[in-house]
Amino acid sequence: MTTILESDTCLKSLQRVLEQHGQLAIAVSGGVDSMTLAVIACRLNSATVVFHALSPAVPDLGTARVRAYAERFNWQLHEIDAGEMDDPDYRRNPGNRCYYCKSNLYTSIRRHTNLMIASGTNLDDLDDYRPGLIAAAEQQIIHPLVEARINKMAVRQLATMAGLQELSELPASPCLSSRVTTGIAIDADLLPLIDQTEEAIRKLFHHKSGGENIRCRIRNAGITIQLDDSTAIQPEKIRAAVQQIFSNTRFAHYSAHISIEPYQQGSAFIRVMS
């Protein structure tokens, strides 16, 4: 009962924030935060506009989820090219790569709308190193979930209240570039291989909905596969799946060394500013 009351309070708080801002353009990645925000905002104001960036860095499941929800809830969806792959500062993958990603994203959205732009940033994100928030501040992006004092747990509760149980159970879903160790250049041809590898391993788990934290980390020494339960699948099955995807590509050298370890959030990130 306590959780329901707290969730109901969060919903009312978010609705008040959204009503104060009026019609918005919401940047949606396909993850639980921005998707939940978009569902609630579009229900509250049917004039809400949703933007989704098509990019090699966005997992296919994320884009498919955005399209499915747009059709299901009749969103005004605009798919755009954020252009981050054309930015050499982004491609060199510095410690503040996310700054360049978000700068390109918000600049691209601005070309398509004069509405105030909202992100799915939640209260917990403020406690982490998020250079993308600097780009958001520079471009006057608003964060309704933060204004409503809603953290990640509350977002999941809101998704459940909204009848979106499948959304509430989604694991964290950062961009595919986050799998590439800081300092290793981002290559548009490498990112789909990472996505394919994670999907292949997900199918080994029989979790086609994406309910398992699975990461294909690209490191200088090779590829590291991280799993919530790193003992759940025989290592040779994982290695075979990785090698099948990377063989006969110009990135085959990464698959010469494949390690398997427990999932660790953000472990491809090295905090060095440049």
Side-chain angles (χ1 to χ4, degrees):
M1 181 63 70
T2 300
T3 299
I4 294 174
L5 290 173
E6 290 177 350
S7 298
D8 186 59
T9 300
C10 286
L11 177 59
K12 291 178 180 177
S13 178
L14 178 58
Q15 288 174 332
R16 284 195 297 270
V17 169
L18 292 171
E19 287 171 349
Q20 289 168 1
H21 287 300
Q23 185 184 5
L24 294 172
I26 301 181
V28 173
S29 65
V32 59
D33 300 325
S34 60
M35 293 288 285
T36 301
L37 175 63
V39 169
I40 294 173
C42 288
R43 285 179 178 175
L44 193 64
N45 187 339
S46 61
T48 300
V49 181
V50 176
F51 284 88
H52 176 66
L54 300 178
S55 167
V58 177
D60 286 345
L61 282 175
T63 294
R65 187 178 302 114
V66 171
R67 289 171 174 170
Y69 273 64
E71 182 175 357
R72 177 179 172 185
F73 295 113
N74 197 30
W75 288 351
Q76 295 185 53
L77 174 64
H78 298 270
E79 296 181 348
I80 62 171
D81 177 4
E84 79 277 23
M85 291 297 171
D86 296 325
D87 185 346
D89 287 322
Y90 173 88
R91 293 198 309 272
R92 64 188 173 87
N93 195 17
N96 62 340
R97 182 197 67 246
C98 291
Y99 169 82
Y100 301 106
C101 173
K102 296 301 185 184
S103 291
N104 282 282
L105 171 64
Y106 297 138
T107 297
S108 295
I109 294 176
R110 290 269 185 227
R111 296 192 187 106
H112 294 83
T113 183
N114 291 321
L115 294 173
M116 183 175 292
I117 300 171
S119 84
T121 299
N122 71 68
L123 198 60
D124 290 339
D125 294 330
L126 303 185
D127 295 328
D128 197 3
Y129 174 63
R130 301 269 178 167
L133 291 176
I134 299 174
E138 289 175 351
Q139 301 204 34
Q140 298 181 313
I141 309 303
I142 66 168
H143 311 297
L145 296 174
V146 173
E147 292 182 47
R149 310 299 295 173
I150 294 174
N151 62 11
K152 190 76 167 188
M153 181 180 294
V155 171
R156 295 190 185 281
Q157 292 170 354
L158 288 177
T160 299
M161 286 183 65
L164 309 172
Q165 188 65 37
E166 74 286 357
L167 199 60
S168 71
E169 296 173 352
L170 280 179
S173 183
C175 76
L176 294 169
S177 293
S178 68
R179 277 68 154 169
V180 183
T181 298
T182 302
I184 297 177
I186 301 298
D187 191 307
D189 294 331
L190 173 62
L191 301 183
L193 300 181
I194 295 173
D195 196 24
Q196 292 167 31
T197 299
E198 293 182 358
E199 179 61 14
I201 296 173
R202 186 172 291 109
K203 288 179 179 178
L204 291 177
F205 274 100
H206 305 295
H207 287 166
K208 297 181 181 180
S209 65
E212 186 82 17
N213 279 308
I214 298 171
R215 295 291 185 271
C216 173
R217 306 287 193 194
I218 303 299
R219 295 174 170 167
N220 289 307
I223 295 173
T224 297
I225 302 300
Q226 294 185 338
L227 309 166
D228 281 339
D229 182 358
S230 60
T231 65
I233 300 177
Q234 294 178 344
E236 57 268 25
K237 290 185 177 181
I238 294 177
R239 291 190 174 94
V242 175
Q243 289 170 343
Q244 181 177 7
I245 291 168
F246 277 80
S247 63
N248 300 318
T249 74
R250 60 189 175 90
F251 306 104
H253 60 283
Y254 284 118
S255 62
H257 178 76
I258 303 169
S259 59
I260 302 167
E261 63 185 34
Y263 168 70
Q264 183 180 353
Q265 182 179 356
S267 60
F269 172 68
I270 302 172
R271 186 168 178 174
V272 292
M273 297 301 294
S274 56

